[in-house]
Amino acid sequence: MSAVIDHGQVAGHHDDHAHGAPHGWRRWLFATNHKDIGTMYLLFSFSMLIVGGVLAMGIRAELFEPGLQFFNPEFFNQLTTMHGLIMVFGAIMPGFVGFANWLVPLQVGAADMAFARMNNLSFWLLIPAAGLLVASFFVPGGATAAGWTLYAPLTLQMGTAMDMAIFSLHIMGASSIMGSINIIVTILNLRAPGMTLMKMPLFSWTWLITAYLLIAVMPVLAGAITMTLTDRHFGTSFFTPSGGGDPIMYQHIFWFFGHPEVYIMILPAFGIVSAIVPTFARKRLFGYTSMVYATASIAILSFIVWAHHMFTTGMPVTGQLFFMYATMLIAVPTGVKIFNWVATMWRGSMTFETPMLWAVGFIFVFTIGGFTGLIVAMAPIDIQLQDTYYVVAHFHYVLVAGSLFAMFGGVYYWGPKWTGVMYSETRGKIHFWASMIFFNLAFFPMHFLGLAGMPRRYADYPMQFADFNAIVSIGAFGFGLAQVYFFFAVALPMIRGRGEKAPQRPWEGAEGLEWEVPSPAPWHTFETPPRLDASATKVIG
């Protein structure tokens, strides 16, 4: 308890001498303020989204029509591998950590994150890690081309770029673990008096659970890629059959990390949507307690379903049945969440400002991704659809229409609080509708390509897949342009402070401590812990 009091005293003492934020490059390089670090995470995430998006445009340009147009198959596989790695570890995960940095201290009434200097380190580790990953394109032999899952034995045959990717993932993993420790300690130790865990906003709840998931599974990934490294350079045979190793063991280890990782990338999105929907429905969130338990259930169940990615590896029927039923069980808590969001909207005084459009769009399109996940959870169907474009469609519906759509909703929802200016509602709606239409144009036809048998990661295909591939490529380019439009028409004006000044509470139905501070949020907030009302959403003293 004394540590908490000391932290508050230090924050207050510091502010006697430094009334505002420092200026210049030192403010960012030595940043210990959670808002500055959150901003850097979000800018980094968007930069990586653009880099990964450019690689995706290369993939879709090649696949626009049959025949090899621009790249040889080796380089095409480098594009698909690096697109996956950059989007997962460079765009989605740091983006949500940016939201956590900005919002968790504000929502729980803390002065800052618990370990401010470690927070700085966990961000700055990402820069050399991303640099290593992108630079691997320029070493002899080009980037790694083993798929984002980095399966052995392909990884044992790659050049220098493979080692760079392994080192990069180690650094990013260290960053994630430090960030997670910081979030857990902040939430458990620095909450304002009166804010019990069951009065905490759902975004903070989802991040608390996500942080535990990260600490549990990032070392598993580190182990898998370290074993790959020692197989490559130190004569071990973990995954080398000629030395008695087993490449299938790599898949088991990787997916024991990889499946919880999927929920690491979606649980914070659930938290964002759970904040937006009640605000614009002008109702309390339906079934708050069940939402918390559903989130925890999803996290726990995510550890026992990893091998549903491996139905075609010769698994015994008993194993297939277990993983099939366990996977279908996850649909229950996920369904609870969707039911609660719909019940919150039911007979609410709904308005459809841009954040609500993203939230409703998320619920609709993410549900489609959930249903296609249930379909590939069934072993006999999955054996037919394994490694086809059906799987590509499924996980993009979950990760793009899931994670990314929720993040955009969050930026529109909390952006006025961060920047102090309102975005243009017209431009926001153009961004939403362009994204929604082009996203579905890009990924919905992939279901039919997969059902027809088109395999993923192929640079060429026969003529019968040509029409749908052309539609997919047009949709993908449109979706990419929509994000460029977002940056120049929405984000940049807000960052520069150009627009209508945001009031303290820009949304009529918004509840939570973050709406009790001015817009933009002051550089220091809650130097003394706020006294809360009974609902723990308003400051009373």
Side-chain angles (χ1 to χ4, degrees), residues 214-250:
L214 273 163
I215 289 172
V217 301
M218 290 312 290
V220 177
L221 174 67
I225 57 179
T226 303
M227 290 152 91
T228 303
L229 194 71
T230 60
D231 273 10
R232 285 169 56 78
H233 297 294
F234 300 111
T236 58
S237 296
F238 292 111
F239 311 129
T240 315
S242 60
D246 184 4
I248 301 297
M249 182 171 77
Y250 176 87

Side-chain angles (χ1 to χ4, degrees), residues 388-390 445-454 465 468-469 472:
T388 68
Y389 266 72
Y390 192 92
M446 285 187 183
H447 294 102
F448 302 114
L449 285 168
L451 288 165
M454 180 170 167
F465 301 139
F468 272 164
N469 266 301
V472 167

Side-chain angles (χ1 to χ4, degrees), residues 242-384:
S242 60
D246 184 4
I248 301 297
M249 182 171 77
Y250 176 87
Q251 295 189 30
H252 279 289
I253 300 169
F254 178 86
W255 285 115
F256 190 79
F257 147 81
H259 203 80
E261 166 69 13
V262 172
Y263 295 102
I264 286 163
M265 292 189 282
I266 200 64
L267 291 182
F270 291 164
I272 292 172
V273 173
S274 299
I276 295 171
V277 168
T279 297
F280 294 97
R282 275 112 186 134
K283 279 173 66 185
R284 274 294 175 74
L285 182 70
F286 180 89
Y288 171 92
T289 308
S290 65
M291 289 288 257
V292 172
Y293 287 126
T295 308
S297 305
I298 290 171
I300 293 162
L301 288 171
S302 73
F303 283 101
I304 63 164
V305 297
W306 75 90
H308 67 206
H309 298 268
M310 300 169 54
F311 284 144
T312 55
T313 58
M315 191 188 305
V317 173
T318 315
Q320 290 189 9
L321 285 171
F322 169 78
F323 286 108
M324 187 166 85
Y325 294 143
T327 304
M328 295 170 99
L329 199 59
I330 286 195
V332 177
T334 311
V336 167
K337 287 182 168 296
I338 290 164
F339 174 82
N340 286 8
W341 291 323
V342 174
T344 305
M345 291 188 277
W346 180 253
R347 304 189 74 173
S349 302
M350 301 254 291
T351 54
F352 291 96
E353 288 89 346
T354 308
M356 188 60 163
L357 285 178
W358 284 104
V360 174
F362 165 93
I363 293 166
F364 172 67
V365 197
F366 175 78
T367 303
I368 295 174
F371 279 132
T372 57
L374 269 178
I375 289 166
V376 291
M378 288 181 263
I381 299 177
D382 182 74
I383 287 164
Q384 299 298 313

Side-chain angles (χ1 to χ4, degrees), residues 420-442:
V421 296
M422 296 299 292
Y423 61 87
S424 160
E425 196 66 57
T426 306
R427 292 175 181 179
K429 285 179 175 167
I430 290 170
H431 174 223
F432 168 75
W433 285 111
S435 296
M436 180 60 95
I437 291 163
F438 283 121
F439 168 79
N440 283 289
L441 198 63

